[in-house]
Amino acid sequence: MTDDEAFEDIPGTLLFNADRSRKGYHLNMFCMSLMKPENRDAFRADEATYLAKYPMTPEQIQSILDRDWNRMLELGGNIYYTSKLAACDGLSFQQIAAIMTGSTQAEYADMMLHGGRPIDGNRSKSEWRDRG
Amino acid sequence: MACSHVPAIGAALDNGKSDEPYWQPLFRGFEPSKKWIAELKPDVVILVYNDHGSAFSLEMIPTFALGCAAEFPPADEGWGARPVPVVKGHPELAWHIAQSTILDEFDMTIVNKMEVDHGLTVPLSLMFGQPDAWPCPVIPLAVNVVQYPPPTGHRCYMLGKAIRKAVESFDRPLRVVIFGTGGMSHQLQGPRAGLINREFDTRFLDKLAADPQSLARLKHVEYVREAGSEGIEMVMWLIMRGALDDDAKEIYRFYHVPASNTAVGHMILENAHADVTVSGTHAPGAHAPRAHAPDATAPDVTLSLSKGERSS
């Protein structure tokens, strides 16, 4: 297996490589803009108008409006940038992590308190397929 | 010194939650370290960390960015800047390191204006508590670990050696402590978020102390698969490790799960002859480690378990 194939084989994980960075540039730079309070206010006042300032694809814009955190990553978002959108919404890292894993807040927090998600069974996409 | 730089640790301190049962064990683990550094009284801290879309964005992605300014304000990361002191730099030593490492063939980015985020301020809080002013100047070294690829572990290790050489050739004797920060195992993104690999982290700490040369050969894909997509931050610990003697002694270790989504690891290492080598009181260049000669033939290493071990 080449390194590229090995990266792609890691389940539930998207490497923020050149292709994804190129594809997600404007989505991530939109998120970056939310570092400024005046931009957060403008975004909250009218999300669609604010988003139109960034040359994103319709899918990217929809994923933001839907707060579809996994979809944003698939469309080139990077977690350190999409977390700025989460912060703007008043959500912590742990709260969006729970959403991305399909868990409730309580389930996710409990998993972390008990040592986190184990590595066994989470190394290869084949292990997730076998699990069904 | 190596430690994690989880933002929630800063938030816990800033919001007066460090005595809560969730946080107490973590802060207790750093009590001996606070004593250690208070007694050591460093003249300068070189702090290796990564920026999280605060000072840099995707507009500019320097692999190694050395802070040469006189001061570095804490960044507003979307919820207001942390209420911590402004970080004072050490421009003379920082510029000297920049010149020395560039001539040693490390293409450093020189930064004269930069805000510093939790990646830098959380380790300062862990080691120095909550003072009105940080007790010594700090030279930030921001490493790209957000955009793939980060520098290799080996490159980081060799940069550490070049930094050591620069510190030793500075024209004043200074007591310098270098922090490598980030990690340990954690994944913040996607359906595999929450991954923690205590076994990997333990082996990483073991090798960091005892066998850094082979650890430096660990491939990026191993970090990402075994320690999570954000666990790759640990390459930065190798810059710290490279700056120390290969036979430096581990004098303290602490490990705790969880801090929010992350495994917190921490280690203090000291050179055997710390008086000579850390404070740089000997003649410039003497014992200077070689900052080149990568061994291209070294085999890839792995910290993952063998198949037999995995199935047991």
Side-chain angles (χ1 to χ4, degrees), chain B residues 223-275:
Chain B
Y223 284 93
V224 174
R225 187 179 59 242
E226 299 296 321
S229 47
E230 281 66 56
I232 200 160
E233 289 176 352
M234 280 186 270
V235 294
M236 295 187 288
W237 292 24
L238 283 157
I239 298 178
M240 176 279 293
R241 190 62 186 89
L244 297 174
D245 293 342
D246 275 355
D247 66 352
K249 293 283 171 287
E250 174 183 348
I251 62 163
Y252 183 65
R253 184 192 293 209
F254 174 67
Y255 186 77
H256 175 76
V257 177
S260 187
N261 303 286
T262 305
V264 173
H266 172 43
M267 182 177 277
I268 296 175
L269 294 138
E270 278 184 355
N271 287 340
H273 306 289
D275 291 345

Side-chain angles (χ1 to χ4, degrees), chain B residues 10 17 76-77 95 115 148 152 214 228 265 276 290 299:
Chain B
K17 293 183 178 172
D76 179 348
E77 300 180 55
W95 272 100
E115 296 189 344
Y148 182 84
T152 63
S214 108
V276 180
R290 283 145 50 92

Side-chain angles (χ1 to χ4, degrees), chain A residues 38-117:
Chain A
E38 61 270 28
N39 291 343
R40 292 197 285 272
D41 291 342
F43 173 65
R44 287 189 192 112
D46 184 350
E47 294 196 0
T49 302
Y50 188 88
L51 290 170
K53 291 194 292 186
Y54 292 84
M56 290 186 272
T57 65
E59 292 78 15
Q60 288 173 326
I61 289 174
Q62 198 57 48
S63 71
I64 293 166
L65 292 171
D66 294 345
R67 301 297 194 272
D68 188 338
W69 304 101
N70 280 329
R71 185 73 182 138
M72 285 180 230
L73 301 184
E74 287 164 13
L75 298 171
N78 174 277
I79 187 63
Y80 287 118
Y81 292 92
T82 57
S83 68
K84 297 180 192 304
L85 172 60
C88 175
D89 286 352
L91 297 173
S92 71
F93 252 122
Q94 190 166 102
Q95 284 170 311
I96 54 167
I99 296 168
M100 287 184 287
T101 61
S103 327
T104 65
Q105 292 303 312
E107 286 165 354
Y108 185 88
D110 191 60
M111 176 182 79
M112 293 316 300
L113 279 173
H114 290 87
R117 185 182 307 284

Side-chain angles (χ1 to χ4, degrees), chain B residues 103-138:
Chain B
L103 292 174
D104 256 336
E105 305 186 343
F106 289 87
D107 308 313
M108 310 295 282
T109 298
I110 295 164
V111 185
N112 282 315
K113 186 173 184 221
M114 179 163 73
E115 296 189 344
V116 288
D117 70 14
H118 70 268
L120 184 128
T121 60
V122 165
L124 290 178
S125 298
L126 281 170
M127 295 302 285
F128 296 121
Q130 296 172 288
D132 293 332
W134 300 119
C136 68
V138 176

